[in-house]
Amino acid sequence: MKKKNQNSNYIKQLKWRHYNVLLSLKYLNQFKKDKINLVEAGVADGLTAWFVLEFLNKENISYQHFTLIDSWEEMKSQFLKKNEYKQIGRYEDNNIEITKTNLKEFEKINFLKGFIPNIYKEYKKDNPKIDWLHIDLNSSIATKETLEFFSDKLNENSVIVFDDYGWPNHEESRIEIDKWSLNKNGILRPLPTGQAVFFNF
């Protein structure tokens, strides 16, 4: 797995965040669906996707497709609110070819490269509804657009995992997530790792 050098504290933090991601898949598996469909919005080098795919294989959980959505470019001001401008320029070293290399051992992966919401024009209308959605976009605008786009594409007993919820620098994302979840048939549960999980009924 090609990825940026990380210090030990960050690696430990990721361990618990990925534990929650895999736990959400374990929860999903109790419904005994024949095949699940997954989407990740905000992919970077594909580390989370790699953990997910490894877990699915280990647990013999069948999936129909896994769509990975990212700009694989640096963050830009037109996709951020003013108090998120400190994000401008982040992830400039992201590269979709590195991500594809990191995930080359896996099948049934669809890559969508572009900025949200524009890239959703390329999302196939005949794609089946999804069971699992991971959002890690570091942008409240992109988070809101993603939630609105996939709201009517969620199966019953599906799960959304939010990476940017309880962090002080992602307050705008938390506000958008809270607003979205208010009138939805499900439960939003904040986690001590700064993540949150929405259980869709």
Side-chain angles (χ1 to χ4, degrees):
M1 164 73 64
K2 295 182 179 180
K3 53 184 181 293
K4 293 178 284 187
N5 292 328
Q6 307 287 6
N7 61 44
S8 60
N9 287 335
Y10 186 68
I11 294 297
K12 289 178 181 177
Q13 183 187 92
L14 283 181
K15 175 179 71 175
W16 291 110
R17 285 156 73 181
H18 285 131
Y19 171 80
N20 288 326
V21 167
L22 302 186
L23 196 62
S24 72
L25 293 165
K26 194 77 171 177
Y27 163 83
L28 195 61
N29 196 39
Q30 72 175 314
F31 298 105
K32 306 298 181 185
K33 302 183 180 187
D34 291 335
K35 288 186 178 180
I36 62 173
N37 298 297
L38 310 97
V39 171
E40 180 174 47
V43 182
D45 55 18
L47 181 60
T48 298
W50 186 89
F51 273 104
V52 167
L53 290 159
E54 278 283 305
F55 182 80
L56 293 177
N57 285 345
K58 181 180 178 182
E59 297 293 319
N60 293 315
I61 301 174
S62 297
Y63 65 99
Q64 188 170 357
H65 72 80
F66 193 174
T67 299
L68 302 179
I69 303 165
D70 202 307
S71 67
W72 282 281
E73 295 182 30
E74 66 180 44
M75 299 185 75
K76 298 181 180 180
S77 60
Q78 62 263 46
F79 301 106
L80 298 166
K81 292 183 179 179
K82 287 187 177 180
N83 57 355
E84 296 175 323
Y85 276 5
K86 58 189 173 185
Q87 304 275 21
I88 295 173
R90 289 188 68 191
Y91 308 110
E92 62 181 351
D93 57 346
N94 277 354
N95 186 311
I96 190 173
E97 297 306 321
I98 291 177
T99 307
K100 287 181 177 180
T101 298
N102 289 337
L103 302 175
K104 65 182 179 181
E105 65 189 280
F106 304 104
E107 300 177 347
K108 295 177 285 189
I109 300 176
N110 179 36
F111 293 87
L112 282 183
K113 184 181 185 305
F115 285 95
I116 296 169
N118 301 338
I119 190 59
Y120 288 139
K121 296 175 183 176
E122 298 182 25
Y123 190 85
K124 294 180 180 179
K125 293 182 180 179
D126 59 349
N127 276 351
K129 288 191 173 184
I130 65 173
D131 302 283
W132 186 87
L133 173 62
H134 183 239
I135 301 178
D136 183 9
L137 293 164
N138 299 296
S139 162
S140 59
I141 294 174
T143 296
K144 178 183 178 182
E145 294 283 356
T146 298
L147 286 170
E148 290 179 352
F149 182 79
F150 285 104
S151 284
D152 63 352
K153 299 175 178 60
L154 296 171
N155 272 324
E156 289 185 0
N157 301 316
S158 55
V159 180
I160 304 175
V161 182
F162 300 98
D163 192 71
D164 312 323
Y165 185 82
W167 304 96
N169 57 328
H170 292 306
E171 180 70 11
E172 292 287 349
S173 291
R174 183 192 63 76
I175 291 171
E176 294 297 344
I177 294 166
D178 285 345
K179 286 180 181 178
W180 175 86
S181 67
L182 280 177
N183 299 314
K184 296 295 181 295
N185 186 27
I187 295 175
L188 178 66
R189 180 170 182 178
L191 300 173
T193 52
Q195 299 161 292
V197 180
F198 181 79
F199 300 95
N200 184 59
F201 302 146

